[in-house]
Amino acid sequence: MNSELVAMVEYLEQEKSIDKAILFDLIEDAMASVYEKEVEEESEIKVEINRRTGDVTIIADVTVVEEVFDKRNEIDLASAQKEYGDEIAIGDIVKWTLQQDQMSRIAAQNTRQAIMQRLRTFEKDRVVEEYSDMVGELISGTVRHFEKNELIVDFGRAQGGLGKMDRVPRERFDNGDHITALLKEIDPRKSGPSIVLSRTDAKLVTRLFEREVTEITNGLVEIKGVARKAGFRTKIAVASDSLDPVGACIGIRGSRVKTICQELNNEKLDIIGFSEDVEEYVREAFKPNPIEEVEIDDDGRLIKLLVSEESYRSIVGRDGENIRLTEELMDWDIEVEKYVYDTEITFDEHIQEAFQTMMKFPSMEEATARMMIDAGYLSFEGVSEASTDDLVEVGISVDQAAEIIEYAKSRLQ
């Protein structure tokens, strides 16, 4: 009795959730493929395993010979005629049962590898069959371990891999943690788990909103676009003909958006009301920051914004992040300029500004500064164009006049 083989099948049945009959078929096929390399090329091997005892029977095509030199490929005439009748002659090919110990040690070693390879192939085929309809959908599982820089997630009947590019840099998971990800694709050719997961794909946010916002599920609210920098910020545009789409996504006291933010480890979410009117849409996208002017170039798909200095930094965002995400969301290029306010300066303010400029000259006294202002010198440019004699006429010494003019010119270089 081959009890070890039976025990292995029972273990795999529990561990892999694969029917015992399928496992025996896989093992028989694997063993046959290995043993076929031990016999002549035209010989066909069939392996049969007793499901109860685990005993292995190897049936091979062998050649009837007068004297046996190769027990794996030949059978003597007397034995063949005893089994098949006197009509059997030398040179005939007959089916014959071989013993496992007739196979080489290399074949015995390769059998286990062949079984595991057949098992992996079966599991990958099963994954494709069971999970292909879930591509692009949310899937939840349990973190198992890291393997070759890939986070392995267990789903019960299959495992998925979360590679480096599909993990959010700031997220950390420990073994046993619950995790929700997007089933990005199924790749049977990939080493390791065939299920490819993602936590960085923008579609993950879309699916989370569809899960949490019933108005999206029943079609009352439509998601018009999503732009995301995973782990930092996501912009999502929503529209509705019958209700406030932004309010529906936020939920009562922010309950819905809070749930989504928690799932995304507090990633910033901007929910924007979509509009077919480009100007209205771009103003919504940058709320609550005011925009002074909007210029739209339809041919070049370019939006030019004029904003206050106070709003500029917030609208552009750190490292231009806010602008880039909005461009991606709207599918328009966006340029932002600061608005310079025209202000009228009073005469007194103008004189005070000139006085502050004069006081920047070395060794300048207040009385001398006022003398220069009275003479019409109000800026570095004006002083730089004066001659020493001009300043002497104002009442300044020759040495100081030369020093003042030289300093004014140096400030303009």
Side-chain angles (χ1 to χ4, degrees):
M1 179 182 293
N2 195 340
S3 57
E4 290 184 3
L5 181 58
V6 175
M8 181 183 74
V9 169
E10 291 176 348
Y11 168 78
L12 290 173
E13 182 182 34
Q14 296 296 321
E15 181 70 15
K16 303 292 186 179
S17 300
I18 303 175
D19 186 82
K20 187 184 295 186
I22 294 176
L23 287 169
F24 275 117
D25 289 342
L26 288 173
I27 295 171
E28 289 173 342
D29 183 54
M31 295 177 74
S33 69
V34 172
Y35 293 155
E36 280 180 353
K37 297 176 182 178
E38 293 281 299
V39 298
E40 296 177 351
E41 291 183 5
E42 63 273 12
S43 180
E44 181 181 346
I45 291 285
K46 182 180 180 181
V47 175
E48 295 178 350
I49 301 175
N50 186 298
R51 271 46 173 171
R52 183 177 61 83
T53 65
D55 291 335
V56 178
T57 301
I58 307 169
I59 302 172
D61 290 334
V62 296
T63 303
V64 178
V65 296
E66 186 173 343
E67 184 177 357
V68 175
F69 294 99
D70 183 356
K71 293 182 179 180
R72 289 174 294 186
N73 294 293
E74 300 172 343
I75 185 69
D76 65 87
L77 179 61
S79 299
Q81 288 180 338
K82 182 178 180 181
E83 178 70 21
Y84 290 100
D86 294 338
E87 65 273 15
I88 296 297
I90 291 176
D92 289 346
I93 304 296
V94 298
K95 301 287 185 183
W96 200 254
T97 300
L98 305 179
Q99 301 300 315
Q100 276 188 281
D101 57 12
Q102 289 181 260
M103 298 300 164
S104 70
R105 182 176 299 177
I106 294 177
Q109 294 172 348
N110 290 342
T111 297
R112 179 177 179 82
Q113 295 178 7
I115 291 172
M116 297 311 297
Q117 179 59 43
R118 289 293 195 286
L119 185 60
R120 284 192 292 269
T121 300
F122 173 82
E123 288 185 296
K124 287 180 179 291
D125 291 342
R126 184 177 69 173
V127 165
V128 172
E129 181 179 351
E130 293 187 8
Y131 290 89
S132 58
D133 291 340
M134 295 181 63
V135 173
E137 301 295 333
L138 296 179
I139 186 169
S140 297
T142 304
V143 174
R144 285 304 177 208
H145 58 274
F146 270 95
E147 182 178 297
K148 297 179 180 178
N149 203 30
E150 191 174 40
L151 188 68
I152 306 301
V153 182
D154 183 49
F155 305 117
R157 290 176 61 83
Q159 289 186 335
L162 197 62
K164 183 177 181 179
M165 298 302 295
D166 288 302
R167 295 199 302 271
V168 177
R170 297 187 301 177
E171 289 186 336
R172 296 291 181 269
F173 294 99
D174 296 321
N175 292 351
D177 285 352
H178 175 84
I179 185 173
T180 297
L182 184 80
L183 202 167
K184 187 177 178 180
E185 63 175 314
I186 298 176
D187 184 4
R189 298 167 298 178
K190 172 179 170 289
S191 62
S194 299
I195 295 178
V196 180
L197 305 173
S198 178
R199 288 275 300 171
T200 60
D201 198 300
K203 192 176 289 185
L204 172 70
V205 180
T206 300
R207 295 292 177 256
L208 289 172
F209 271 91
E210 290 173 347
R211 187 182 71 180
E212 299 298 329
V213 183
T214 55
E215 289 83 353
I216 293 177
T217 307
N218 61 30
L220 292 176
V221 173
E222 180 184 0
I223 296 176
K224 287 292 190 176
V226 179
R228 185 183 186 206
K229 183 179 180 182
F232 297 94
R233 190 171 197 165
T234 291
K235 286 178 173 286
I236 180 169
V238 291
S240 176
D241 295 329
S242 57
L243 50 82
D244 173 17
V246 176
C249 292
I250 293 174
I252 299 174
R253 297 186 182 89
S255 58
R256 289 171 171 175
V257 74
K258 284 179 183 177
T259 300
I260 296 171
C261 283
Q262 288 173 358
E263 185 62 61
L264 297 174
N265 282 329
N266 297 316
E267 183 175 310
K268 183 175 176 58
L269 280 174
D270 297 339
I271 305 174
I272 299 160
F274 173 82
S275 175
E276 295 288 353
D277 184 293
V278 177
E279 180 173 344
E280 183 179 346
Y281 192 12
V282 76
R283 289 184 183 276
E284 285 289 327
F286 289 116
K287 276 187 175 181
N289 300 292
I291 298 173
E292 302 295 335
E293 294 180 15
V294 178
E295 181 182 334
I296 299 171
D297 177 4
D298 291 299
D299 294 333
R301 291 191 68 80
L302 174 64
I303 303 172
K304 294 182 178 180
L305 305 179
L306 204 57
V307 303
S308 67
E309 189 167 356
E310 293 76 12
S311 299
Y312 181 85
R313 181 177 296 181
S314 178
I315 285 178
V316 172
R318 190 173 69 176
D319 299 326
E321 172 192 291
N322 198 29
I323 282 288
R324 286 196 298 271
L325 287 176
T326 307
E327 286 180 326
E328 182 182 343
L329 181 72
M330 297 185 63
D331 193 24
W332 281 72
D333 292 328
I334 301 174
E335 293 180 359
V336 184
E337 294 182 6
K338 296 178 185 178
Y339 184 83
V340 179
Y341 291 96
D342 292 329
T343 56
E344 294 185 1
I345 301 176
T346 65
F347 177 78
D348 289 341
E349 289 173 337
H350 192 59
I351 294 300
Q352 181 61 31
E353 184 179 324
F355 178 75
Q356 292 174 354
T357 300
M358 293 302 107
M359 290 302 297
K360 292 178 181 178
F361 286 95
S363 304
M364 181 64 70
E365 297 180 357
E366 290 187 13
T368 305
R370 296 195 185 282
M371 285 168 43
M372 291 184 64
I373 292 172
D374 291 341
Y377 296 105
L378 306 176
S379 64
F380 289 124
E381 289 86 352
V383 175
S384 68
E385 295 174 358
S387 66
T388 303
D389 292 339
D390 292 334
L391 296 187
V392 169
E393 289 181 6
V394 173
I396 300 174
S397 68
V398 174
D399 291 339
Q400 188 179 15
E403 184 181 8
I404 288 174
I405 293 171
E406 184 179 352
Y407 180 80
K409 290 179 177 179
S410 69
R411 290 293 299 264
L412 296 176
Q413 291 178 349

